[in-house]
């Protein structure tokens, strides 16, 4: 073997040894690294992390919860939920729960506000927003309902409202609503005649008053006396100025049926629906004397004879005597403050006006009462008092029978009054009437 071959062989052996050493060293280093890594990993704690409901297991060398969250790049807001404090130590098999808060929008009486919370019930969200709720407030959705951040939460604060139900006054709570819904909420029902002194679609506002008028119709039956008529007859057998009752008058009796409208227990309207005569009135007949007595003197006798003067006669002239004549004197008739009439009797009188709804103001004889409110006109039954008759009515004065009416039958009249309140106040009365022509 030559020297060159020996050198080459030696070089090959050295190279082989070097490679073997390098491989061995690399293997040792790799094993050491694996062992170091295994030891490093083996010393980590296992943390169960529940983040917004999602669960995973994470190994960490962090010693505190805060360091672990920082390691996981989790920023915890002041309204978030964290199961441990940031200073809490990381122990073996620790479970950390973190829930990020959501922003909820709440509208209170039309004004928006918001709250950050991890709770999802309406009640908890309102509590977080520091909104106090009373039993009368209206909350949508309901307090116990679960919602998400996209749900609109509305609160209507209740306020006090005064309601007058007939004669009863009470204070109740309400939220913004219409009158119709308000009555429904408070279980206030209306009959066909009842009314509310507000429009049903009007809004109920704080301090409002809702007035319910309870209306009812009742029937009232009353008995009224009917004054008797007085008839006078001339009687030549009675001295002038004297009177004698031939037939005594007797009052009649009539049963009247009224429909009465009551509002909150108080009568506001009364309408006559019918009359029934229970007892007819009996007229009083009075004889009025017309006889005149003459005073005379006989020329052939000195003795004077004279008939007594009537009690109601005016002062008589003394008798005058001569040889050829005899004079007489008669008393003057008595005067009355009422106009004289050949016919007078009592009637049932009511009053009416031309200003009622739907009234034309034109009478049955063509008189325009609206254009002539000063005229005195009465409505009559033409079969009792002919139209166009001039009359005198007790308490009303001289008038003309110029109108008729569906309810004016028999001994009834309706007196025209320009003033509506005066007509309503007149009511119904028994009055004397005289036919003047």
């Amino acid at each position: 073997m030559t020297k060159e071959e020996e050198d080459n062989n030696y070089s090959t052996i050295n190279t082989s040894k070097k490679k073997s050493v390098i491989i061995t060293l690399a293997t040792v280093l790799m094993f050491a690294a694996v062992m170091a890594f295994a030891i490093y990993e083996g010393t980590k704690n296992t943390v169960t992390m529940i983040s917004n409901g999602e669960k995973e297991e994470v190994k960490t060398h962090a010693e505190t919860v805060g360091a672990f969250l920082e390691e996981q790049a989790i920023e915890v807001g002041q309204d978030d939920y964290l199961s441990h404090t940031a200073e809490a130590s990381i122990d073996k098999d620790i479970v950390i729960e973190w829930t990020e808060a959501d922003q909820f929008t709440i509208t209170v009486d039309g004004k928006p506000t918001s709250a950050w919370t991890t709770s999802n019930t309406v009640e908890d969200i309102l509590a977080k927003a520091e909104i106090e709720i009373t039993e009368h407030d209206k909350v949508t959705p309901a307090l116990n309902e679960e919602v998400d951040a996209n749900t609109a939460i509305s609160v209507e604060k209740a306020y006090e409202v005064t309601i007058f139900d007939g004669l009863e006054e009470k204070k109740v709570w309400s939220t913004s609503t219409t009158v119709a819904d308000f009555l429904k909420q408070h279980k206030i029902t209306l009959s066909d005649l009842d009314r509310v002194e507000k429009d049903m679609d009007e809004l109920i506002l704080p301090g409002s008053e809702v007035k319910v008028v309870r209306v009812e119709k009742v029937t009232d039956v009353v008995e009224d006396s009917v004054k008797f008529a007085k008839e006078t007859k001339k009687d030549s057998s009675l001295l002038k100025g004297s009177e004698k009752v031939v037939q005594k008058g007797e009052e009649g009796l009539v049963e009247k049926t009224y429909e009465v409208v009551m509002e909150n227990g108080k009568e506001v309207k009364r309408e006559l629906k019918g009359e029934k005569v229970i007892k007819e009135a009996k007229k009083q007949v009075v004889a009025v004397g017309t006889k005149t007595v003459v005073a005379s003197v006989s020329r052939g006798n000195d003795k004077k004879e004279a008939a007594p003067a009537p009690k109601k006669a005016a002062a008589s002239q003394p008798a005058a005597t001569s040889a050829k004549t005899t004079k007489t004197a008669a008393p003057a008739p008595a005067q009355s403050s009422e106009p004289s009439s050949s016919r007078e009797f009592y009637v049932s009188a009511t009053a009416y006006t031309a200003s009622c709804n739907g009234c034309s103001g034109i009478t049955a004889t063509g008189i325009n009462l609206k254009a002539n409110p000063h005229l005195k006109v009465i409505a009559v039954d033409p079969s009792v008092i002919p139209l166009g008759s001039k009359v005198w009515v007790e308490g009303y004065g001289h008038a003309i029978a110029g109108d008729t009416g569906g309810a004016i039958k028999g001994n009834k009249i309706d007196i025209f009054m320009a003033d509506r309140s005066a007509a309503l106040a007149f009511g119904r009365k028994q009055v004397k009437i005289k036919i003047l022509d």
Side-chain angles (χ1 to χ4, degrees):
M1 177 180 296
T2 64
K3 184 174 177 50
E4 183 178 354
E5 289 177 341
E6 289 179 355
D7 291 338
N8 288 337
N9 188 33
Y10 181 78
S11 177
T12 301
I13 293 171
N14 287 337
T15 301
S16 177
K17 287 181 179 180
K18 288 180 180 179
K19 286 183 179 178
S20 176
V21 171
I22 290 171
I23 291 171
T24 301
L25 183 60
T27 301
V28 170
L29 290 174
M30 183 178 294
F31 177 77
V34 170
M35 289 299 293
F37 179 78
I39 292 169
Y40 179 79
E41 290 296 321
T43 58
K44 282 185 177 181
N45 288 318
T46 301
V47 176
T48 302
M49 182 68 188
I50 301 175
S51 177
N52 291 324
E54 295 183 3
K55 182 179 179 180
E56 65 175 327
E57 291 187 351
V58 181
K59 291 186 177 296
T60 182
H61 276 116
E63 296 182 355
T64 64
V65 171
F68 171 76
L69 294 175
E70 186 177 352
E71 183 181 275
Q72 299 297 317
I74 295 175
E75 294 184 7
V76 179
Q78 64 177 359
D79 296 306
D80 295 351
Y81 171 76
L82 184 62
S83 59
H84 298 73
T85 64
E87 295 77 16
S89 299
I90 298 294
D91 298 325
K92 186 179 181 181
D93 299 328
I94 189 172
V95 177
I96 300 174
E97 185 176 357
W98 169 68
T99 304
E100 190 175 14
D102 290 321
Q103 185 180 23
F104 294 87
T105 300
I106 308 153
T107 303
V108 181
D109 290 337
K111 297 179 180 179
T113 186
S114 63
W116 290 86
T117 180
T118 57
S119 297
N120 63 348
T121 64
V122 174
E123 186 174 16
D124 290 340
I125 295 168
L126 294 178
K128 183 68 176 180
E130 297 182 348
I131 298 172
E132 294 184 2
I133 300 297
T134 71
E135 60 179 320
H136 306 291
D137 296 338
K138 182 179 179 181
V139 181
T140 306
L143 290 173
N144 60 352
E145 193 166 332
E146 294 184 352
V147 297
D148 57 34
N150 296 321
T151 304
I153 301 173
S154 173
V155 177
E156 292 181 54
K157 301 296 290 181
Y159 43 80
E160 205 170 44
V161 175
T162 303
I163 182 167
F164 296 88
D165 187 358
L167 297 177
E168 181 184 1
E169 176 184 354
K170 54 185 176 181
K171 304 285 187 180
V172 296
W173 290 91
S174 175
T175 55
S176 181
T177 185
T178 63
V179 172
D181 288 338
F182 172 81
L183 296 175
K184 186 177 180 180
Q185 288 173 7
H186 294 280
K187 299 179 181 180
I188 298 174
T189 57
L190 303 176
S191 70
D192 293 338
L193 298 176
D194 295 338
R195 71 173 188 274
V196 181
E197 294 186 348
K198 276 184 181 291
D199 293 334
M200 297 302 281
D201 57 354
E202 187 175 340
L203 288 177
I204 298 292
L205 301 175
S208 294
E209 291 185 351
V210 179
K211 296 182 179 180
V212 178
V213 180
R214 297 298 183 178
V215 183
E216 61 177 336
K217 288 184 178 180
V218 298
T219 300
D220 186 21
V221 180
V222 298
E223 291 185 352
D224 281 346
S225 60
V226 180
K227 291 184 178 181
F228 55 80
K230 184 178 179 182
E231 180 181 343
T232 59
K233 292 183 178 181
K234 294 180 180 180
D235 190 337
S236 59
S237 66
L238 295 176
L239 292 176
K240 189 171 184 178
S242 62
E243 295 181 354
K244 179 181 178 182
V245 177
V246 178
Q247 177 177 289
K248 186 177 180 180
E250 294 181 2
E251 290 187 342
L253 192 63
V254 62
E255 182 182 87
K256 299 178 180 180
T257 302
Y258 293 92
E259 181 183 76
V260 182
V261 179
M262 311 285 288
E263 292 187 356
N264 294 338
K266 182 179 180 181
E267 180 180 331
V268 295
K269 183 180 179 183
R270 175 177 289 260
E271 183 179 354
L272 181 65
K273 289 298 184 180
E275 290 188 2
K276 177 183 178 182
V277 177
I278 299 175
K279 178 184 176 183
E280 293 283 357
K282 184 178 180 181
K283 68 181 178 179
Q284 181 165 295
V285 180
V286 179
V288 178
T290 60
K291 180 179 179 181
T292 302
V293 179
V294 181
S296 63
V297 176
S298 175
R299 187 178 57 179
N301 191 344
D302 292 332
K303 185 177 180 182
K304 299 178 181 179
E305 295 182 357
K311 293 180 179 178
K312 295 186 179 179
S316 300
Q317 298 292 331
T321 306
S322 70
K324 296 182 179 180
T325 62
T326 302
K327 296 183 178 180
T328 63
Q335 299 296 319
S336 171
S337 61
E338 296 180 4
S340 60
S341 169
S342 60
R343 185 180 175 204
E344 65 178 59
F345 50 95
Y346 283 88
V347 293
S348 175
T350 53
Y352 73 104
T353 178
S355 60
C356 60
N357 292 333
C359 295
S360 67
I362 307 300
T363 71
T365 58
I367 300 172
N368 190 333
L369 296 177
K370 291 184 177 179
N372 300 278
H374 60 283
L375 294 181
K376 289 193 174 184
V377 178
I378 65 171
V380 299
D381 181 347
S383 66
V384 178
I385 302 174
L387 283 173
S389 298
K390 294 180 180 180
V391 298
W392 175 87
V393 181
E394 180 183 4
Y396 186 63
H398 290 80
I400 186 167
D403 206 354
T404 59
I408 309 304
K409 302 295 182 184
N411 286 8
K412 295 181 183 178
I413 64 171
D414 212 0
I415 296 173
F416 166 68
M417 291 185 177
D419 184 66
R420 184 174 182 272
S421 60
L424 291 173
F426 184 84
R428 183 178 294 273
K429 301 176 182 178
Q430 292 289 326
V431 299
K432 183 192 294 185
I433 187 168
K434 292 188 177 185
I435 312 300
L436 302 180
D437 59 4

